[in-house]
Amino acid sequence: MKLLRHQVKWEQRLFWRSRESAVFVFLFPILLFALLTAVYNGHIYGRPASWALLAGMIGYGTANTAFAGLAITLVSRREIGILKRIRATPLPPAVYLTAVLVSIMIVFAIQVASLFALGRVLKSTPWPSHLLSLVPALALGVAAFAALGLAITAFIRSLEGSSAVLNVIVLPMAFLTGSFGPTRHYPKVLRAIGDVLPLKYLLDLINGIYLQGQQLWDKPTAVAVLGGWGLFGMAVALRTFRWEPREG
Amino acid sequence: MSAISVRDLRKSYGAYEALRGISFEIQEGEVFGLLGPNGAGKTTTIEILEGYRTRDGGDIDVLGFDPERAGSAFRERIGVVLQHSQLWPNLTVAETHRMFAGYYEHPRNVDEVIALVGLDEKRTARVKTLSGGQKRRLDLGVALVGDPDLVFLDEPTTGFDPAARRAAWDMIRSLRSLGKTILLTTHYLDEAEQLADRLAVLRGGVIIREGTPSELTSGSSETEIRYRKDGQEVVIRTSEPTRLLQHLTAEAVAEGRELEGLSVRRPTLEDVYLSLTAEHQE
């Protein structure tokens, strides 16, 4: 426990000190939200557009922070030998990875709080009400995307390509699943692709809870699919995760 | 007592046999050098002993542990400098040390370690601003912060300029005076000769020679005599230099000529090393 606290503290310092992670991971979804609410008016899902965009941006933020941000961090540490070096210390690998995840969750929590606060200031969006549903839903989302982020590190071979590869996954996924606006006017094929992606189900949960006032247990399918993606990511990560850089 | 004992260690990567049954012992407090050309199996050996790789055969004991199955208790007692590894560019020297110190039950004082590796003036400098030699010293500092009994140094001075190498050598000597056991790999002969109490020459996955640096050079009994005769360079290797010299000089004196460019030389470790590795190449 002491080790975990120590490592979380240092992970936080590492995160905020790196301009790349602080801007790309933390700030980007918030900036995007400010932009989108400035240009979209009218109603989405029967609510003011800014409400739905806020929900969409929380979903996008989950994928961006827990999946892309985590994967880039781990790939870069792996390729320059930090992960390998850490393995030679008494810090248990499980504690290390847990600390990285906890740190990502802290970043995400601050991001979500900032999004709600910004929405409130700019467009008077309401504070979330069903916190007992929303917090577990977001925690499930972060966990599932973090598991997928761990899994994908094995398929990214170099640091140079990692941020491009991840954006090529995350941005279209966010677009296809409705983070940036509803998808019901999209062509059928695109909607069908969106329907298998995990972000779709996380957005389902967030929209249901924040916009429709539903509870987590009103959405068993979404919980199950999201959990399934998380377990799949975990299974792949357990088999493929590497601590050492490619032999050079 | 031996800190490391290795018996008949074997390791293959696919069909390639990286280690073909090597054995050696390292005593506590000893600086042991593994010397050999690239691809000889040095890094494979050191990484098996550090616990990074599994072995295919043989017995190893490192501080009473089998590194393959050892956990935190083993890692409390070792310090590692990897051949290629970097640390977080955005942390300072002192922060990096403090972060690592937190992983150990009984870390050394961070300021002492920073002073020991000569980074005093760089305490608050970000890692990304350090020179290559300073980064290597940071690696060493981080390896020492847990106050290990055994330190692994995998090619600690590769890529250094001569001044930085001298500084690193001084540092490694100061580790020895702290009573640490050190396993060092290098492909620099002078480094092995300067630092190691004993060394093993590794080539093609086998140890072809083992002993103190002076044993390795004296084990070869040949002395080299060179001079020029009629403009031709004459090189003679002999195990009886006294008799041969007397004969040569007597002959020259009798003929009233000079042995031009006469030199008598004991083989250096480099000669021994080159002749050893060349023999085994054939």
Side-chain angles (χ1 to χ4, degrees):
Chain A
M1 209 54 209
K2 196 176 131 237
L3 275 175
L4 184 65
R5 261 212 322 277
H6 172 83
Q7 191 60 25
V8 169
K9 183 189 102 189
W10 283 99
E11 289 297 330
Q12 280 291 300
R13 189 174 294 201
L14 284 165
F15 182 90
W16 297 107
R17 197 170 285 178
S18 154
R19 203 166 303 148
E20 196 183 321
S21 61
V23 172
F24 168 73
V25 176
F26 178 75
L27 222 47
F28 192 54
I30 297 173
L31 291 176
L32 210 52
F33 171 67
L35 256 166
L36 289 175
T37 59
V39 298
Y40 276 103
N41 282 308
H43 284 72
I44 300 175
Y45 307 130
R47 300 282 182 194
S50 54
W51 299 23
L53 288 170
L54 178 57
M57 218 42 60
I58 291 171
Y60 169 68
T62 314
N64 195 52
T65 307
F67 175 72
L70 177 74
I72 291 171
T73 301
L74 288 175
V75 167
S76 69
R77 289 183 187 178
R78 182 189 70 202
E79 290 305 311
I80 67 176
I82 288 179
L83 292 188
K84 182 174 181 180
R85 182 63 189 78
I86 290 279
R87 288 274 270 182
T89 72
L91 181 69
V95 174
Y96 178 71
L97 288 178
T98 307
V100 173
L101 290 184
V102 170
S103 174
I104 277 287
M105 287 191 182
I106 293 172
V107 170
F108 179 64
I110 300 174
Q111 187 176 59
V112 171
S114 311
L115 279 168
F116 278 122
L118 187 69
R120 180 93 197 159
V121 170
L122 294 178
K123 295 280 178 175
S124 314
T125 52
W127 295 111
S129 51
H130 299 312
L131 281 182
L132 280 179
S133 278
L134 187 64
V135 172
L138 294 180
L140 175 66
V142 171
F145 277 107
L148 292 165
L150 279 177
I152 201 158
T153 56
F155 303 93
I156 301 175
R157 312 190 74 209
S158 76
L159 179 55
E160 294 79 39
S162 63
S163 127
V165 170
L166 288 160
N167 271 315
V168 163
I169 298 172
V170 170
L171 277 173
M173 173 166 73
F175 182 76
L176 289 173
T177 56
S179 285
F180 308 137
T183 59
R184 58 178 177 271
H185 306 299
Y186 287 11
K188 233 184 182 157
V189 185
L190 293 187
R191 272 187 293 155
I193 298 173
D195 280 345
V196 298
L197 297 173
L199 187 52
K200 155 102 182 173
Y201 298 91
L202 177 61
L203 285 171
D204 239 20
L205 288 177
I206 301 173
N207 286 336
I209 296 165
Y210 182 58
L211 302 178
Q212 324 295 340
Q214 290 174 314
Q215 299 284 6
L216 187 62
W217 48 89
D218 296 326
K219 299 269 187 187
T221 320
V223 171
V225 175
L226 202 53
W229 270 102
L231 290 175
F232 168 72
M234 210 47 179
V236 173
L238 284 172
R239 300 188 63 144
T240 60
F241 189 77
R242 282 186 301 124
W243 294 83
E244 299 194 12
R246 251 172 326 141
E247 296 294 313
Chain B
M1 248 199 67
S2 64
I4 294 182
S5 128
V6 174
R7 262 195 20 237
D8 198 30
L9 177 62
R10 289 173 185 278
K11 176 73 179 177
S12 298
Y13 298 109
Y16 173 68
E17 278 188 282
L19 293 176
R20 297 188 284 178
I22 65 168
S23 304
F24 59 88
E25 299 258 335
I26 305 176
Q27 302 304 312
E28 272 179 16
E30 190 173 39
V31 180
F32 189 87
L34 263 182
L35 179 65
N38 289 329
K42 302 188 297 293
T43 295
T44 298
T45 306
I46 204 168
E47 291 200 346
I48 288 173
L49 296 175
E50 288 163 344
Y52 282 116
R53 300 187 191 292
T54 57
R55 59 187 183 273
D56 296 338
D59 294 315
I60 55 181
D61 181 302
V62 183
L63 301 171
F65 294 90
D66 177 349
E68 229 170 87
R69 271 175 247 119
S72 297
F74 171 62
R75 298 195 162 84
E76 286 283 346
R77 296 184 57 198
I78 64 167
V80 166
V81 172
L82 297 172
Q83 204 179 113
H84 312 281
S85 75
Q86 300 169 38
L87 291 162
W88 295 271
N90 290 314
L91 291 186
T92 68
V93 167
E95 284 172 332
T96 307
H97 280 87
R98 288 215 305 278
M99 182 172 183
F100 273 88
Y103 302 153
Y104 297 88
E105 299 261 357
H106 307 289
R108 282 178 65 106
N109 179 290
V110 163
D111 293 328
E112 266 174 44
V113 174
I114 294 173
L116 181 70
V117 297
L119 286 173
D120 269 329
E121 282 158 25
K122 292 285 175 184
R123 291 196 69 225
T124 56
R126 297 273 174 104
V127 170
K128 63 183 165 198
T129 65
L130 300 181
S131 72
Q134 289 166 340
K135 281 182 180 155
R136 213 65 182 131
R137 280 190 259 165
L138 177 68
D139 287 335
L140 186 59
V142 161
L144 297 178
V145 84
D147 200 16
D149 299 320
L150 170 62
V151 184
F152 294 99
L153 304 172
D154 197 1
E155 301 197 1
T157 66
T158 297
F160 277 25
D161 64 41
R165 287 183 70 204
R166 300 261 159 209
W169 290 356
D170 286 342
M171 237 155 39
I172 292 165
R173 286 192 196 102
S174 66
L175 292 189
R176 180 218 261 136
S177 63
L178 294 175
K180 310 288 184 201
T181 308
I182 298 171
L183 172 56
L184 158 93
T185 74
T186 181
H187 52 240
Y188 297 122
L189 286 145
D190 51 345
E191 187 161 292
E193 199 167 13
Q194 288 283 330
L195 297 177
D197 298 317
R198 278 192 314 125
L199 50 92
V201 181
L202 196 59
R203 182 165 212 303
V206 283
I207 289 177
I208 52 182
R209 220 26 144 19
E210 193 190 332
T212 65
S214 63
E215 272 168 12
L216 287 197
T217 45
S218 64
S220 145
S221 52
E222 308 238 294
T223 297
E224 185 182 88
I225 298 170
R226 280 170 187 266
Y227 61 98
R228 274 196 302 280
K229 188 177 183 185
D230 309 327
Q232 294 281 310
E233 178 93 6
V234 181
V235 181
I236 305 170
R237 290 202 180 80
T238 174
S239 50
E240 296 175 296
T242 320
R243 222 161 59 87
L244 182 70
L245 263 180
Q246 199 214 3
H247 171 76
L248 285 172
T249 48
E251 196 179 71
V253 168
E255 292 173 15
R257 63 184 168 81
E258 196 51 59
L259 288 172
E260 280 172 53
L262 174 67
S263 76
V264 181
R265 205 166 66 95
R266 297 271 308 120
T268 63
L269 186 57
E270 183 156 7
D271 299 324
V272 175
Y273 174 66
L274 289 175
S275 71
L276 276 173
T277 52
E279 267 167 41
H280 284 261
Q281 209 151 23
E282 279 147 26

